[in-house]
Amino acid sequence: MPTTLNNIAKQGVNGSTMMPVIQGVGRAAIEIAAVLRGAVFRGALGEAGGENVQGEQQQMLDVLSDEIFLEEMRSTGFVCAVGSEEQENLLVIEEYSHADYLVLVDPLDGSSNLDVDGPVGTIFSIVKRITANADQPLVSDTLQSGRNVIAAGYVLYGPSTMLVCSVGDGVHGYTFNPAVARFELSHPDMRIPETGGYYSVNESNKDSWLDGMGENLKRMKADTGLGMRYVGAMVADMHRTILKGGVFLYPADNKNKTGKLRLLYEAIPMGFIMEQAGGKSVSSGIAVLDIVPEALHQRVPVYLGSTTNVDSLLG
Ligand code: AHG
Ligand code: MN
Ligand code: MN
């Protein structure tokens, strides 16, 4: 009998209480994967015609994925609010506004890959509400450091659909088995190699990187001879980095002076997974999980990966 996603209830101190929310993420993942597979037949590829709060063109699939995710979080009954890349403001779930949990989400990560049938993902993290006395959950409930995250993970929509998550007791990967329509444990206790494999970055930006990162990368390449891989979807690049070792980075540059990737629904969940997998996550000289967030859509530079490789890049 294979271990299924539901068995996460047995893992870690937060396992049982997280179960309904993680099951909701699993249902959203199954629906989003189906929508992605059928998108070309429904005319659902291409731009939606609007911009999100980041000033980025929304794809129709960004909007659909956001709706699916929100609906599944609502249906759990345990989520009082969702902070999403695709929504300017915190979305309060009115009928459960006293529920315990808030979820931060990048519903569709790497959406520039959609037109070329490339891998995309979903990234999420879950925090406990801290303003228990207020009528409604507040944005300040989302502005908690990564040390307060109680569960986080990602879904990778590749040749198979994988849900990789942690409730603070290591990282476990579940693959969707279409024959029985459920996630089954395929990658128990994922650990990143101490040193590895590849560096992963959009190197075309190197002349505009800040903080001397161009020189750092040049030195690291000369010292280690690492190979290079870059998908352009953080989920896919991080998944490979965890399995094969190495370092993923998105430094600050002249265009994105505080970095491009978003703290609450990209950097923190991936930093949580990285630390739980035995790796390192750094931003502006401190651990990503030690950053005190200031805004829902805040951006930060990120350096995530095998301890040896992150140290050799930043050292
Ligand atoms: P999103 O599609 O959610 O906006 O995220 C895109 C992010 C991330 O997935 C990836 O690592 C990075 O943007 C790629 O950026 P570049 O195209 O600038 O390399
Ligand atoms: Mn993203
Ligand atoms: Mn996105």
Side-chain angles (χ1 to χ4, degrees), residues 85 106 108-111 123 234 261-262 265-266:
E85 179 190 346
D106 176 354
L108 203 53
D109 172 66
S111 46
I123 311 172
M234 186 190 200
L261 298 179
R262 278 60 55 107
Y265 41 82
E266 291 177 321

Side-chain angles (χ1 to χ4, degrees), residues 87-104:
Q87 304 284 341
E88 179 168 4
N89 301 312
L90 183 68
L91 267 168
V92 175
I93 299 176
E94 297 292 342
E95 59 268 52
Y96 301 112
S97 63
H98 291 280
D100 275 345
Y101 299 111
L102 292 94
V103 181
L104 285 309

Side-chain angles (χ1 to χ4, degrees), residues 105-128:
V105 67
D106 176 354
L108 203 53
D109 172 66
S111 46
S112 69
N113 278 356
L114 289 168
D115 289 338
V116 297
D117 209 14
V120 289
T122 296
I123 311 172
F124 68 95
S125 70
I126 304 169
V127 292
K128 209 159 187 182

